[in-house]
Amino acid sequence: MSDHPVTQYISPSAWALVSDKFSPFALETLTKLVKFVEDECLPAESTFHDQISTDPATRWRSYPSIIEELKFKAKKLGLWNLFLSKEHYPDVGVPLKNLEYAVMAEILGRCHIASEAVNCAAPDTGNMEVLARYGSPAQKKEYLQPLLDGKTRSCFAMTEPGVASSEWISGAGDPRCVVHILMGKSDTSAKKHSQQSIVLVPANAPGVKLVRPMTVFGYDHAPEGHWEVVYDRVRLPLTALVAGWGRGFEIVQGRLGPGRLHHCMRTIGSASRALEYMLLRVTDPRKIMFGKMLAEHGTVVERIALSRMEIDQARLLVLSAALQVDLVKAKGAMKDIAMAKVLPLF
């Protein structure tokens, strides 16, 4: 298995630890995914950014058309909704385990637009899991199926007015967003973990107001991004409630388990690519400091080595957590998931 193309990006020794746990379908899918990211997604990155409008009046009203071209190619290759395991979602899933998808998520993380190209982008991934697991037949028909088909996007919102750091709304600015999956407090007198409920809010419902995009290091992440949103006396039918009153905490915990690992593996892919850029820079003969290339300075080499070790140990910890989820499900792997999501921060 060491000759698999994924070993261009993951060390052969790490791959040897998990390759025997891959089904023939997973191996074939991973091969196709590596080639798709290399040949289609990475070359399209610059086009994607060029197609984002710089006009404030249209920046959030259009979306780069290159994404639809990539999605069409991905569907033809069978690279679609890879995050949805058939074991957990037999009606809509694909025959991949969490461990198998974890490796694929790292490859997707090497390219900013690759996850969306194969319909595996947040927050839709978690939102689709919520709808697939807890949604009513009517909710699945109206919102889940279009998301599975890649025809729409969604937003996830948690809000508790007046409580610091409680408001988190991702994906609201996307012009294709049709629904906000909103978690809010519905009963302050209930037990601690039964006070929240989840409702489906149409993006165009009266009272839904997009206030402003939030920035990270000055970047607004258009045309998706995190937004400040006001829900001003929004009226919803009872059919908008997901699963039942007071089940919000239960639902989001089920949503966040494997999703955390997906984020971790994508981050590892991004970090690996950043390290490759670092290597290119320090070996550039034009970058001379004190008479030597950057790569000839001991402190630079030390930092590169430290980065390599940190990336490799993070990968192994996340793969271990993914395997635990496959063996004992997310609830039984809480400790492993917690360690995996924290390590990349240090």
Side-chain angles (χ1 to χ4, degrees):
M1 293 291 186
S2 61
D3 59 348
H4 194 282
V6 78
T7 55
Q8 299 173 74
Y9 308 109
I10 296 174
S11 69
S13 57
W15 175 239
L17 291 173
V18 299
S19 60
D20 64 336
K21 297 175 176 60
F22 273 58
S23 69
F25 173 80
L27 288 170
E28 180 186 359
T29 301
L30 180 59
T31 300
K32 291 192 293 185
L33 184 66
V34 169
K35 182 173 176 57
F36 179 70
V37 172
E38 288 176 343
D39 295 350
E40 302 290 350
C41 297
L42 286 168
E45 276 188 327
S46 59
T47 302
F48 175 87
H49 290 289
D50 288 344
Q51 290 179 349
I52 298 174
S53 174
T54 57
D55 182 352
T58 58
R59 188 165 173 79
W60 300 94
R61 296 181 181 177
S62 61
Y63 204 85
S65 60
I66 188 66
I67 283 293
E68 292 304 318
E69 298 175 28
L70 292 173
K71 286 161 68 175
F72 178 78
K73 293 176 181 178
K75 275 188 177 181
K76 288 186 67 175
L77 291 168
L79 300 174
W80 198 252
N81 293 333
L82 304 176
F83 70 97
L84 271 177
S85 172
K86 199 172 189 67
E87 180 179 345
H88 301 293
Y89 306 99
D91 295 337
V92 294
V94 295
L96 292 174
K97 299 186 291 289
N98 281 287
L99 178 63
E100 294 166 335
Y101 179 67
V103 176
M104 297 176 193
E106 176 173 350
I107 301 304
L108 292 172
R110 296 181 57 82
C111 176
H112 170 62
I113 61 176
S115 290
E116 184 178 357
V118 296
N119 213 39
C120 294
D124 292 338
T125 47
N127 290 346
M128 283 188 265
E129 289 192 62
V130 166
L131 291 166
R133 182 175 298 179
Y134 299 100
S136 68
Q139 290 168 346
K140 291 178 180 180
K141 181 179 179 180
E142 183 173 4
Y143 295 119
L144 176 59
Q145 195 57 54
L147 287 169
L148 290 171
D149 294 338
K151 295 178 180 178
T152 60
R153 296 297 306 269
S154 60
C155 153
F156 185 78
M158 292 195 303
T159 179
E160 193 174 342
V163 178
S165 73
S166 69
E167 297 178 315
W168 171 39
I169 301 172
S170 60
D174 194 311
R176 301 162 300 170
C177 178
V178 299
V179 62
H180 295 202
I181 295 186
L182 170 66
M183 176 175 172
K185 187 158 287 193
S186 55
D187 185 356
T188 57
S189 65
K191 292 182 180 180
K192 185 177 181 180
H193 293 133
S194 300
Q195 296 183 4
Q196 298 83 13
S197 298
I198 288 183
V199 292
L200 304 178
V201 183
N204 61 356
V208 177
K209 301 175 182 178
L210 303 187
V211 179
R212 59 178 176 136
M214 311 303 290
T215 60
V216 178
F217 297 122
Y219 182 56
D220 61 8
H221 206 180
E224 302 158 339
H226 291 65
W227 275 68
E228 178 184 350
V229 179
V230 170
Y231 299 97
D232 183 12
R233 288 170 287 188
V234 178
R235 307 291 295 180
L236 299 170
L238 189 59
T239 53
L241 181 67
V242 178
W245 294 112
R247 297 187 64 183
F249 193 84
E250 168 200 345
I251 293 170
V252 295
Q253 286 305 304
R255 174 191 192 276
L256 290 175
R260 288 184 176 120
L261 296 181
H262 302 166
H263 281 304
C264 289
M265 290 304 286
R266 284 193 294 265
T267 301
I268 291 168
S270 297
S272 295
R273 189 176 175 195
L275 180 57
E276 291 167 13
Y277 279 127
M278 185 191 301
L279 292 172
L280 289 173
R281 179 175 176 81
V282 301
T283 55
D284 187 339
R286 298 171 299 173
K287 308 295 183 184
I288 302 298
M289 183 177 291
F290 300 112
K292 295 189 293 185
M293 285 197 308
L294 291 172
E296 296 175 300
H297 289 273
T299 55
V300 173
V301 174
E302 177 189 6
R303 289 166 185 168
I304 290 172
L306 180 61
S307 297
R308 179 74 275 160
M309 289 186 288
E310 290 174 338
I311 291 171
D312 284 1
Q313 70 175 335
R315 176 187 297 114
L316 292 174
L317 189 57
V318 179
L319 291 176
S320 174
L323 178 59
Q324 278 299 99
V325 172
D326 286 332
L327 295 175
V328 296
K329 302 191 183 301
K331 190 171 183 178
M334 288 176 63
K335 179 187 72 174
D336 306 85
I337 294 171
M339 290 191 295
K341 73 174 184 177
V342 169
L343 179 65
L345 299 177
F346 290 97

